[in-house]
Amino acid sequence: KAGVTQTPRYLIKTRGQQVTLSCSPISGHRSVSWYQQTPGQGLQFLFEYFSETQRNKGNFPGRFSGRQFSNSRSEMNVSTLELGDSALYLCASSLWSGVATDTQYFGPGTRLTVL
Amino acid sequence: DQQVKQNSPSLSVQEGRISILNCDYTNSMFDYFLWYKKYPAEGPTFLISISSIKDKNEDGRFTVFLNKSAKHLSLHIVPSQPGDSAVYFCAASRGGADGLTFGKGTHLIIQP
């Protein structure tokens, strides 16, 4: 079974631009979660989508948004980029939503650099 | 306010010895705990988990211990192998209601 894939792997943008990252979950998985990893804050939860609906949201500004398609693929968007948005963005998929014992499997991440 | 803390940014252990990684949490609503391992340029990989109704879970060389009264968990790796060199993240969940809350990680280095 193929793992979680994320595209692109690397991205360079300038301040004020917007960016869209893509995540394809493991086949059959319906939940997709997004996390931001930075050296200072570590891994932080952004949001989770299940059946095309946002189920949970972390403590991030409205510039961070996402969506999920009927095939469970997900995209996240960051508008009006700031230097502090430079980070590794990780996507994780699981079978269901809201089940603690349902393991989340992570993709390799997208490294975003904002200049 | 960090709800999951890994106070050791790095740990060096000799090959064949036991590696003990520690994690503390502050939120008593957490009821499920996980350990993930991360190599450079890869996403975190699930290692082992434990429910709050247990105090120990074992899987091969990996054992996780949970002390609820102390709000502390630890991961034991015995024996440590060179391939265990990686960053280890402790994570906690509130019944799956929110996303995982991660610690900042401990870089484990296994020395030959």
Side-chain angles (χ1 to χ4, degrees):
Chain A
K1 217 182 220 185
V4 178
T5 57
Q6 292 187 245
T7 56
R9 291 293 309 276
Y10 302 92
L11 207 47
I12 299 175
K13 292 284 187 180
T14 56
R15 277 181 297 174
Q17 286 187 308
Q18 67 100 26
V19 68
T20 300
L21 313 181
S22 181
C23 171
S24 291
I26 292 171
S27 177
H29 284 195
R30 294 171 61 191
S31 170
V32 173
S33 296
W34 289 89
Y35 293 83
Q36 180 196 65
Q37 185 183 14
T38 58
Q41 299 298 320
L43 267 157
Q44 292 186 287
F45 172 70
L46 279 156
F47 30 64
E48 181 206 3
Y49 285 86
F50 179 80
S51 291
E52 302 177 64
T53 302
Q54 188 180 91
R55 298 293 294 265
N56 296 298
K57 191 177 191 312
N59 190 25
F60 278 82
R63 299 185 298 107
F64 292 82
S65 63
R67 58 177 175 168
Q68 187 181 34
F69 302 95
S70 58
N71 62 358
S72 295
R73 192 177 70 84
S74 176
E75 288 181 346
M76 71 161 277
N77 185 278
V78 188
S79 63
T80 321
L81 283 166
E82 300 177 0
L83 294 178
D85 297 334
S86 294
L88 180 67
Y89 289 88
L90 291 157
C91 161
S93 78
S94 59
L95 281 168
W96 303 107
S97 171
V99 179
T101 54
D102 191 13
T103 301
Q104 291 190 27
Y105 295 89
F106 283 82
T110 294
R111 171 72 63 186
L112 172 65
T113 302
V114 182
L115 302 175
Chain B
D1 178 35
Q2 244 192 306
Q3 298 185 65
V4 177
K5 296 179 185 179
Q6 295 177 255
N7 291 318
S8 300
S10 66
L11 176 67
S12 185
V13 174
Q14 221 167 0
E15 183 180 354
R17 299 286 189 109
I18 181 171
S19 295
I20 300 176
L21 294 94
N22 294 303
C23 177
D24 298 295
Y25 62 96
T26 57
N27 190 338
S28 55
M29 299 295 290
F30 289 140
D31 59 3
Y32 196 70
F33 303 90
L34 309 91
W35 285 93
Y36 279 83
K37 174 179 173 180
K38 187 178 185 300
Y39 293 117
E42 294 182 13
T45 303
F46 170 73
L47 207 52
I48 192 169
S49 61
I50 188 167
S51 164
S52 59
I53 62 173
K54 295 186 174 182
D55 54 19
K56 177 182 172 182
N57 188 26
E58 204 170 339
D59 183 2
R61 296 186 298 114
F62 303 92
T63 303
V64 56
F65 295 92
L66 175 62
N67 183 333
K68 278 184 64 179
S69 60
K71 293 192 176 68
H72 176 84
L73 62 155
S74 61
L75 173 68
H76 292 212
I77 306 174
V78 184
S80 300
Q81 298 175 354
D84 296 331
S85 294
V87 178
Y88 289 78
F89 290 95
C90 169
S93 169
R94 292 193 310 149
D98 307 314
L100 295 174
T101 301
F102 282 88
K104 291 194 176 181
T106 296
H107 186 195
L108 176 64
I109 301 159
I110 305 301
Q111 295 186 333

